[in-house]
Amino acid sequence: MERKNGRKHGEVFTQLNVVKYILDEVEYVSSNNLKKIKILEPASGQGAFAIEIIKRLFQSSKKYDFDFIKAINENIRLVELDSLSFENLESNILKTIADLGFKPNKIQKSVFSNTDFLFKDFNFKFDCIVGNPPYIRHEIIDTKLKKEYKQMFSTFKYRADLYVLFYEKSLKLLSQNGLLSFICSNRWLFNQYGQPLRKLIAEKFHITKIINIEKANVFDEEVIAYPCITTIRNTKGNLTEYYESQEKVININNLNFEFIKSPKDESWQNLFLDYNINHSSLIAITEQSFEIGIGVATGADKVYIKKETELNGIERNRVIPIIKSNCLKGENINWDNSYVINPFQNGELCDLNDFPHLESYLESKKEILLKRHVAKKSPNSWYKTIDKIKPDLQNKYKLLLPDLSGCKFLFIDEGNYYPHHNIYYITHPELNELKILACILMSDFIKNQLSQIGIRMNGGLPRFQTQTLRKLRVPQLTKLSTSDRNKLIDSYEKRNLGNINKIVNKYCTQHRIKVMAKTVINPKSENKLEVIA
Ligand SMILES: C[S@@+](CC[C@H](N)C(=O)[O-])C[C@H]1O[C@@H](n2cnc3c(N)ncnc32)[C@H](O)[C@@H]1O
């Protein structure tokens, strides 16, 4: 997650139309009596939200005849960590108040806090919490702070971005029935680090609205982000309004919201798919007699992986042809004559005395091999590879899935090679089953599923990893007609992606997989917001 203008504290300014929309979302509108409404902006920047809050409060004070300054002092809290932004925040707010005809020196210090929101205590809870929390990638967060945050926040798991903690802390500060609305990255809605936050929200709160505006530019400066407006109420509820757009220009006045069931656990992927991933005709790869694995990690590829010409007489039964991801380009497997040296025999580390050439080679590399963690852990087995090599794997039919291939085709090894660590593989005793599965994994249906469930793509091509492969739900191979199976096998051989998509889409139609399960409703008429790139 990077922003072109991402400064040290993840500062980005929000456009006024978005600010207004978000304040409407939390019902902080001047037509309401805001006299006692407590509102917090936890990452105020220079006051994009705060200025509008002050203006609305002023209008409301006129309408309902209450003490404007007293209401500010009692109910508005603005936090900003960055000192420079904080100075601007304070002066912008005081100027706004002066422009409205009031004495800024009547504003109490407690309204503003130049501090880390995540450590800040408040004397009361809030009816409304709004803002645009900072995006700060996990690896950029200070190590010491990370330790402290870990102790304080249950959602700070995996490689969570800082904004996740802003959600957790803010949710804890919401009064009963209070509303929170943030514009933020959408990544947490489906990725791994968002899991604990999704669970927290699903179990204890009600996510009332999600506006997923992936591409529209809603910040004042050009930013690279995946913005999303989420509104959450501190109550329980069953329906969520959902809107998604890939457009660069959207008019929020005119959004076609869909009503979807509010998620009840951490799995929110059905929000994003236009079909039900739990459909009975879609099942996991491993439920269909396929086995998934990853190739061998040696811990010292320079020592263990050698070209044919570099084997220097090492006993032939100690080497196996190895296939690496860079051999899987173009339309065919292009093996580069590399071999992996196998120090295992019958499932045990071999006795080097039985293989004098191997012994002298490994002895000459002993110093390098001893530096590996695996060798330090068991010095007597200093020449073992990190993963055990099981020669049988070479002879199996294997669908090879390079982690980062940059190639749109998948390849099947018909029993010639051992896969290297950067390759995931799927085995099955029947070659044709693997060809059919290869076709399905190359289809747009699966690409869509992967991208929708938040799997990173490599230049539009999927990245397959064990975890991803286990998550995927694919057509049930036994439900394919003989003619479609044959067509897929033929399409695999001819590399005919067009035909593959036709057959997979036909399966989806036949089994009513692509059924829209959501009810489209009319947009709220009062949303007068335009988001323009
Ligand atoms: C994305 S900007 C939003 C600024 C402003 N609210 C707006 O919408 O234009 C996030 C702000 O959070 C501030 N920030 C970063 N870490 C913070 C923290 N731990 N506590 C409070 N503010 C923080 C940054 O300095 C930055 O001003």
Side-chain angles (χ1 to χ4, degrees), residues 3 9-14 41-46 48-49 79-82 85 115-118 132-134 136 149 162 166:
R3 294 179 150 184
H9 297 301
E11 184 175 4
V12 172
F13 306 119
T14 311
E41 210 216 325
S44 300
Q46 309 197 5
F49 286 84
V79 186
E80 171 55 47
L81 176 64
D82 183 78
S85 295
T115 185
D116 183 339
F117 165 66
L118 299 170
N132 176 357
I136 300 183
Y149 291 153
L162 196 73
F166 272 68

Side-chain angles (χ1 to χ4, degrees), residues 142 244 256 459:
D142 177 80
E244 180 178 278
N256 268 338

Side-chain angles (χ1 to χ4, degrees), residues 430-447:
E430 297 295 328
L431 181 57
N432 281 343
E433 298 304 294
L434 280 175
K435 287 184 180 172
I436 295 170
L437 182 66
C439 288
I440 291 171
L441 293 182
M442 285 188 271
S443 70
D444 287 347
F445 173 74
I446 288 299
K447 274 193 210 146

Side-chain angles (χ1 to χ4, degrees), residues 65-191:
D65 195 24
F66 60 79
D67 185 336
F68 171 52
I69 297 294
K70 188 165 179 255
I72 297 178
N73 287 333
E74 287 180 357
N75 301 323
I76 298 182
R77 293 295 177 265
L78 307 170
V79 186
E80 171 55 47
L81 176 64
D82 183 78
S83 303
L84 208 69
S85 295
F86 182 78
E87 263 178 44
N88 290 332
L89 168 73
E90 235 181 356
S91 69
N92 287 339
I93 296 304
L94 297 181
K95 182 173 180 307
T96 308
I97 291 167
D99 289 349
L100 291 169
F102 292 84
K103 287 193 181 133
N105 60 4
K106 293 270 189 271
I107 300 300
Q108 291 168 3
K109 285 277 167 225
S110 54
V111 171
F112 302 98
S113 306
N114 182 195
T115 185
D116 183 339
F117 165 66
L118 299 170
F119 288 105
K120 169 111 185 100
D121 289 325
F122 296 89
N123 299 332
F124 47 79
K125 297 221 165 181
F126 294 90
D127 306 298
C128 308
I129 301 180
V130 290
N132 176 357
Y135 301 1
I136 300 183
R137 276 179 290 129
H138 193 84
E139 45 278 27
I140 292 173
I141 305 171
D142 177 80
T143 318
K144 250 176 146 181
L145 274 178
K146 260 194 256 199
K147 272 197 186 142
E148 292 188 62
Y149 291 153
K150 270 219 164 83
Q151 310 257 310
M152 295 156 60
F153 299 102
S154 62
T155 58
F156 199 41
K157 296 261 167 67
Y158 309 106
R159 309 194 55 71
D161 195 296
L162 196 73
Y163 68 78
V164 170
L165 307 188
F166 272 68
Y167 269 98
E168 179 178 342
K169 168 120 185 169
S170 301
L171 288 169
K172 284 182 189 151
L173 288 169
L174 263 190
S175 61
Q176 188 60 36
N177 216 29
L179 277 159
L180 170 152
S181 188
F182 281 163
I183 177 153
C184 196
S185 156
N186 68 4
R187 277 8 213 174
W188 68 274
L189 296 172
F190 40 71
N191 70 11

Side-chain angles (χ1 to χ4, degrees), residues 397-463:
Y397 297 132
K398 296 175 287 294
L399 171 54
L400 303 174
L401 304 157
D403 176 10
L404 271 179
S405 76
C407 177
K408 59 184 172 181
F409 298 118
L410 294 179
F411 303 90
I412 294 172
D413 163 30
E414 298 189 15
N416 298 310
Y417 310 107
Y418 204 92
H420 182 238
H421 190 60
N422 53 19
I423 293 181
Y424 296 85
Y425 62 83
I426 301 177
T427 58
H428 193 285
E430 297 295 328
L431 181 57
N432 281 343
E433 298 304 294
L434 280 175
K435 287 184 180 172
I436 295 170
L437 182 66
C439 288
I440 291 171
L441 293 182
M442 285 188 271
S443 70
D444 287 347
F445 173 74
I446 288 299
K447 274 193 210 146
N448 172 38
Q449 196 180 118
L450 285 167
S451 68
Q452 298 295 314
I453 60 179
I455 303 303
R456 269 190 299 158
M457 305 283 267
N458 170 34
L461 299 167
R463 292 187 64 178

